[in-house]
Amino acid sequence: MYYRYKALIVDLDSKEFSVKELNKDLVRKTLGGCALGAALMYRLAPKTPDPLKENVVIMAPGALTGTPVPTASKTSFFTISPLTGGWLESVAGGSIGLELRSCGFEALVIKGKSEAPCIIRITDQNFSFEDSDWGSDALDAAEKLSKGGYSTACIGQAGENLVRFAGVECDGRQAGRGGLGAIFGSKNLKGIAIKSTGDIEPESPEVLERLVKKWYDALLQHSSYRDDTKYGSGEFLEWMNSERGTFPTKNWQLSVFENRKQIDPYYWAPKYSVKNNGCISCVKPCGKMFVIKEGKYSGTKIDGPEYETLYALGGNVFNGNIEALARANELCDRYGIDTISTGGTIAFAMELYERNIITKDDVGYELRFGDEDALLKTIEQIAIREGFGNLLAEGTARASEHLGAQRYAVHVKGMDPPAYDARGLKGMALAYATSPRGACHLRAGVYGIELTGKWWKYSDIDRYSTEKKGDMVATMEDLMSVYDTLGICKFSRHVYFAEGLPELVEAVTGIKYSVEELFAIGANANWMKKLINMRQGISKDSLPPRMFLDPIAEGPSKGARVTEEELSIMLKDYYRARGWSEEGEPSKEQINEVDDLTKEVFYG
Amino acid sequence: MGLIVVSHPEKCTHCRECELACSLHHEKKVNPKKSRIRVIRASYDLSVPSLCTHGYGCALECVDSCPMGAIEENNGFVGIDEELCDGCGACVDVCPFNAIRLFDGKAKKCDLCGGEPVCVSLCSQGALTFEEGKTVDKRVFNEIKKVVEERREDYVLQI
């Protein structure tokens, strides 16, 4: 039997564990990961004015995570974000999902707050709390916690210090976005360690074995395989600059980064990458093991930098030194903070500094674009909440309100955007606006479609046009939610598309779903995410002032911007495609359906 | 005969697809701890797949240790006769590659999947190859044994 229909509930207030039986119908209708997480959050998450005071953390492996389905490696964490105040899903590779599933659980639910820093340790059916120290960095903590063969999820100092964009380290990868690490910190939870000897029992093992080989071959034979693995997620960095001009630079004041030579993986991968690192079951490993052996940053070792980090700690802060960038990446990983928001927040502060809105008296040192020492220092100051870093640790949105500088703050719902300049990609602009966790490239993943003009069922897509974008973003949000529900990495979506998924779901879970039915599961999850945001008082889908007011300054997309009218047209189309009201509210029927689905998440 | 699965740690990316697929193939269930191959994280950038070398990198300690005479080497293939095995675990402790699992009362190890090893067929990086055991440099085996010894505690199956 594949599903065990059980969740482990951890109450940090009373220091008690309990095993609850999940509603079978709910599990079968949501499968796992994102959709199951949305349903549990819809029912279990409190309406909370302060996510750092009252909150819940839910962890759920993707439905296929823990099996050898190639790239089904993802485990999702769900909480109310301390950065946006709304729905947060934070997704990571690593093997902790496999271990949880082997223990016989579809989900882990963490409630309450421990009196003192602690560890949750799960060994098969033995559950215990351990005292923990505060103060170790995320990588050291992970190494210590993993002794004895455990998979881990843990925080560094930034999470302890409630930095609002602190992440969680998961076996060398990160659940980085949205401040999950701060929620761990607010619960006095240093980490989770899980080990199991239990079996995972796919419903049709022989069929699954055949499909694993089939999709392994498909992934390896795909024309993108060589460069995807050789250069990792940053492979198109040069093209994004020189051919598209949509590489946000200098806090989005520019969209082409002139000093990009070194941060292009075609330059650094051969020079610094010693080998690739793969998430569990990833036969297409994109992680680059990057080592600096000499010079000022000698000893730096990271898994990365990923494309988004090449922007966040490179172009966006105008840093063209790959070694300084790698060091900054390592600091973020060790302290346990999201590279994208770290870079976004610092870039924002650098712009204010150059505009004299803040000065050396405020910061304590010069904070100019391209100053690598200032970049590294500021990362530390944020992580330990010292000096001006204490303000930046609140995130771009809160810092901008404090300083009265909202005009230069680039974020959506409080979340700093990733490396796609949406002024030249209208669908991405819409996707940033509607993404339930705030500006994100992976909730809808439409950037590839717009940048190339075609993908899957889409063709002749004009990146500057608003046409068809509402429907496309809604559809793609649903597809990406299906990927997160199954735990399949989106870096292989050009191989599985949607049509490859049903046979895998059936072989593993025994449940026969058509492509359309899988899309319905994705859509349902997106209704719940929206409803959770509405419950939290977050209903406005908008964009930062810069996207409306400042056209792209130079390069291939020069002059492009998004007007408020364009966004409004696209939002209207999007809400219509979703069956929502003009204000973006799910219909009565949809709310009834969700209420019905989640009426009873546990038996008893 | 004499073909074995050879591990090339310098190419391993720690995806553990081999562990997942091995257990699925042999047990019809997924369980890395029951996999005949284990990938040992030795350090930041070194992951070491370890499995039975069928006598090429060792002194056939398992054969000598078995009180039941259940383990035999034959033309470069080491097999366990499950009928004879009484599950005492002596072989598990002496194997320098930590390549023998003990569960369901029996010792289990790599049987080369009847000549088409599933792990090799799913290793995207070429970190596992199917080669003549006698042509493999002994130093390769010695490096693996060293890591296995250091990290054995983390990788022993205890059910």
Side-chain angles (χ1 to χ4, degrees):
Chain A
M1 186 173 79
Y2 185 67
Y3 287 120
R4 307 298 167 94
Y5 305 105
K6 286 194 172 63
L8 179 63
I9 317 292
V10 184
D11 188 335
L12 292 170
D13 287 328
S14 61
K15 287 282 166 66
E16 281 174 336
F17 293 91
S18 57
V19 176
K20 286 208 171 178
E21 208 173 325
L22 282 162
N23 182 325
K24 278 194 176 141
D25 197 45
L26 173 74
V27 173
R28 298 176 76 83
K29 282 182 173 161
T30 58
L31 295 173
C34 164
L36 176 61
L40 293 176
M41 283 289 289
Y42 185 71
R43 192 50 66 197
L44 303 177
K47 178 176 180 343
T48 175
D50 185 353
L52 291 168
K53 288 227 164 66
E54 192 193 1
N55 209 337
V56 60
V57 172
I58 293 168
M59 177 180 123
L64 308 181
T65 304
T67 77
V69 168
T71 82
S73 57
K74 303 292 185 182
T75 296
S76 293
F77 293 84
F78 309 91
T79 193
I80 301 297
S81 165
L83 196 61
T84 70
W87 159 266
L88 178 64
E89 53 195 311
S90 208
V91 185
S95 49
I96 197 160
L98 158 77
E99 298 295 337
L100 185 73
R101 191 176 289 291
S102 310
C103 288
F105 299 113
E106 265 73 52
L108 174 69
V109 180
I110 303 169
K111 303 195 286 197
K113 177 183 177 176
S114 171
E115 265 184 21
C118 76
I119 302 287
I120 296 171
R121 193 175 290 278
I122 300 166
T123 313
D124 287 316
Q125 299 301 308
N126 298 312
F127 320 122
S128 62
F129 294 99
E130 291 169 15
D131 294 335
S132 170
D133 291 331
W134 254 188
S136 61
D137 76 44
L139 300 184
D140 287 346
E143 196 182 330
K144 199 172 145 201
L145 258 188
S146 66
K147 289 233 156 53
Y150 286 82
S151 285
T152 60
C154 57
I155 58 171
Q157 299 95 325
E160 298 169 8
N161 296 332
L162 310 183
V163 175
R164 286 185 188 267
F165 43 93
V168 170
E169 163 77 25
C170 296
D171 302 316
R173 308 293 291 189
Q174 289 83 28
R177 303 232 69 195
L180 174 73
I183 302 300
F184 271 47
S186 75
K187 294 182 170 299
N188 272 329
L189 177 62
K190 181 71 179 175
I192 307 166
I194 311 182
K195 177 169 87 165
S196 169
T197 52
D199 295 327
I200 293 171
E201 301 177 37
E203 296 292 338
S204 307
E206 284 88 2
V207 176
L208 179 60
E209 196 177 336
R210 186 174 55 73
L211 292 177
V212 167
K213 180 64 178 149
K214 170 185 158 180
W215 288 104
Y216 168 91
D217 288 340
L219 281 154
L220 267 79
Q221 283 158 15
H222 194 278
S223 58
S224 73
Y225 186 84
R226 182 179 160 276
D227 286 356
D228 283 357
T229 52
K230 194 168 177 188
Y231 302 110
S233 56
E235 63 185 298
F236 297 115
L237 188 139
E238 175 56 35
W239 183 81
M240 280 294 284
N241 280 276
S242 56
E243 297 297 321
R244 290 294 178 268
T246 46
F247 187 74
T249 298
K250 242 182 158 176
N251 199 36
W252 296 60
Q253 296 179 87
L254 301 171
S255 306
V256 176
F257 181 34
E258 64 188 83
N259 299 344
R260 64 185 178 272
K261 182 173 168 274
Q262 280 197 6
I263 70 167
D264 183 351
Y266 280 74
Y267 169 84
W268 60 255
K271 201 167 146 102
Y272 298 96
S273 175
V274 294
K275 67 151 72 167
N276 279 21
N277 190 32
C279 296
I280 191 145
S281 85
C282 181
V283 302
K284 190 196 166 188
C286 66
K288 312 300 290 180
M289 301 296 239
F290 184 116
V291 181
I292 300 176
K293 293 185 177 135
E294 54 190 12
K296 186 175 170 187
Y297 300 111
S298 177
T300 298
K301 286 182 177 182
I302 52 167
D303 179 352
E306 300 291 345
Y307 173 66
E308 310 305 331
T309 303
L310 294 167
Y311 136 81
L313 303 174
N316 211 25
V317 291
F318 218 74
N319 165 38
N321 179 347
I322 186 62
E323 294 196 356
L325 192 155
R327 178 65 188 146
N329 192 158
E330 186 180 46
L331 286 178
C332 288
D333 288 353
R334 286 201 171 273
Y335 284 122
I337 30 175
D338 175 26
T339 56
I340 302 179
S341 283
T342 300
T345 308
I346 295 175
F348 164 70
M350 284 174 165
E351 181 173 346
L352 298 193
Y353 192 92
E354 297 204 340
R355 289 184 185 277
N356 280 321
I357 294 169
I358 54 172
T359 65
K360 199 171 165 185
D361 286 343
D362 300 311
V363 182
Y365 49 92
E366 293 198 0
L367 186 57
R368 294 185 187 283
F369 282 111
D371 182 338
E372 65 194 56
D373 293 330
L375 169 67
L376 297 173
K377 188 174 170 75
T378 309
I379 292 172
E380 289 187 344
Q381 301 264 302
I382 289 171
I384 58 176
R385 276 188 176 272
E386 197 168 282
F388 192 66
N390 191 36
L391 176 64
L392 297 184
E394 292 293 296
T396 304
R398 285 177 177 79
S400 74
E401 281 158 26
H402 180 82
L403 297 164
Q406 291 93 330
R407 170 70 175 83
Y408 308 110
V410 184
H411 67 84
V412 176
K413 299 187 174 78
M415 182 81 99
D416 309 82
Y420 303 90
D421 195 326
R423 287 169 293 191
L425 303 162
K426 297 289 162 71
M428 269 311 280
L430 175 63
Y432 283 160
T434 60
S435 159
R437 74 175 190 181
C440 179
H441 56 301
L442 289 175
R443 294 315 101 205
V446 297
Y447 53 89
I449 306 176
E450 294 201 291
L451 285 161
T452 61
K454 59 182 195 309
W455 188 77
W456 187 42
K457 65 178 192 179
Y458 299 105
S459 57
D460 299 321
I461 298 295
D462 176 358
R463 66 190 176 104
Y464 295 116
S465 164
T466 56
E467 262 177 59
K468 304 184 212 165
K469 299 296 166 74
D471 193 61
M472 182 173 88
V473 168
T475 302
M476 287 300 294
E477 279 180 349
D478 293 346
L479 180 59
M480 293 301 94
S481 286
V482 172
Y483 269 71
D484 285 333
T485 293
L486 303 185
I488 292 185
C489 179
K490 291 162 191 162
F491 211 45
S492 50
R493 65 184 183 271
H494 56 290
V495 177
Y496 288 112
F497 294 102
E499 291 71 17
L501 306 174
E503 64 182 17
L504 294 165
V505 172
E506 189 181 358
V508 171
T509 69
I511 306 171
K512 209 175 165 105
Y513 279 126
S514 65
V515 167
E516 293 71 26
E517 286 166 327
L518 288 177
F519 267 95
I521 290 173
N524 217 294
N526 283 310
W527 305 343
M528 291 188 278
K529 296 177 202 179
K530 180 73 182 188
L531 290 166
I532 289 166
N533 271 345
M534 284 167 53
R535 185 161 77 196
Q536 284 296 110
I538 296 163
S539 50
K540 190 163 170 55
D541 295 327
S542 191
L543 290 171
R546 177 146 283 159
M547 297 208 196
F548 295 131
L549 300 174
D550 303 334
I552 288 182
E554 54 172 15
S557 297
K558 186 175 175 177
R561 68 178 178 119
V562 186
T563 64
E564 302 216 26
E565 194 194 348
E566 284 176 321
L567 178 64
S568 150
I569 290 168
M570 291 192 292
L571 278 173
K572 215 172 247 178
D573 286 348
Y574 170 86
Y575 295 145
R576 194 182 303 125
R578 283 234 168 277
W580 293 355
S581 74
E582 291 209 352
E583 287 71 45
E585 290 168 359
S587 69
K588 286 241 158 25
E589 292 74 24
Q590 290 171 344
I591 295 171
N592 286 342
E593 200 177 322
V594 167
D595 283 343
D596 199 43
L597 176 73
T598 59
K599 195 168 54 198
E600 191 184 28
V601 295
F602 300 122
Y603 294 128
Chain B
M1 284 302 281
L3 287 167
I4 62 166
V5 176
V6 181
S7 154
H8 307 275
E10 73 283 0
K11 292 184 180 169
C12 176
T13 63
H14 205 85
C15 78
R16 300 170 65 198
E17 184 72 351
C18 53
E19 294 182 351
L20 302 171
C22 174
S23 57
L24 179 66
H25 181 76
H26 288 95
E27 304 300 322
K28 308 298 164 205
K29 291 166 187 168
V30 185
N31 188 339
K33 277 84 177 177
K34 292 182 177 175
S35 167
R36 280 65 166 161
I37 182 169
R38 291 308 308 272
V39 183
I40 300 164
R41 178 80 88 181
S43 66
Y44 160 79
D45 52 6
L46 182 64
S47 288
V48 180
S50 183
L51 74 170
C52 177
T53 58
H54 294 271
Y56 286 102
C58 66
L60 292 170
E61 291 87 344
C62 57
V63 174
D64 293 341
S65 75
C66 181
M68 307 305 289
I71 311 180
E72 268 193 2
E73 191 271 345
N74 207 336
N75 274 333
F77 179 86
V78 176
I80 300 177
D81 185 336
E82 285 204 9
E83 297 276 303
L84 294 176
C85 175
D86 71 347
C88 73
C91 56
V92 174
D93 297 334
V94 298
C95 174
F97 293 100
N98 187 26
I100 307 178
R101 314 275 95 82
L102 184 67
F103 56 89
D104 298 341
K106 301 289 175 189
K108 328 243 180 187
K109 57 175 263 323
C110 170
D111 62 0
L112 301 173
C113 298
E116 286 178 51
V118 167
C119 56
V120 175
S121 80
L122 293 173
C123 183
S124 66
Q125 305 302 302
L128 299 171
T129 52
F130 197 38
E131 294 179 49
E132 281 288 346
K134 61 174 182 254
T135 63
V136 180
D137 189 332
K138 286 275 181 291
R139 280 174 297 187
V140 173
F141 295 128
N142 290 339
E143 283 300 308
I144 297 169
K145 283 196 275 193
K146 207 175 119 212
V147 170
V148 167
E149 210 36 59
E150 284 165 12
R151 303 301 300 269
R152 182 180 281 270
E153 287 304 304
D154 290 356
Y155 290 88
V156 170
L157 171 71
Q158 291 165 324
I159 293 184

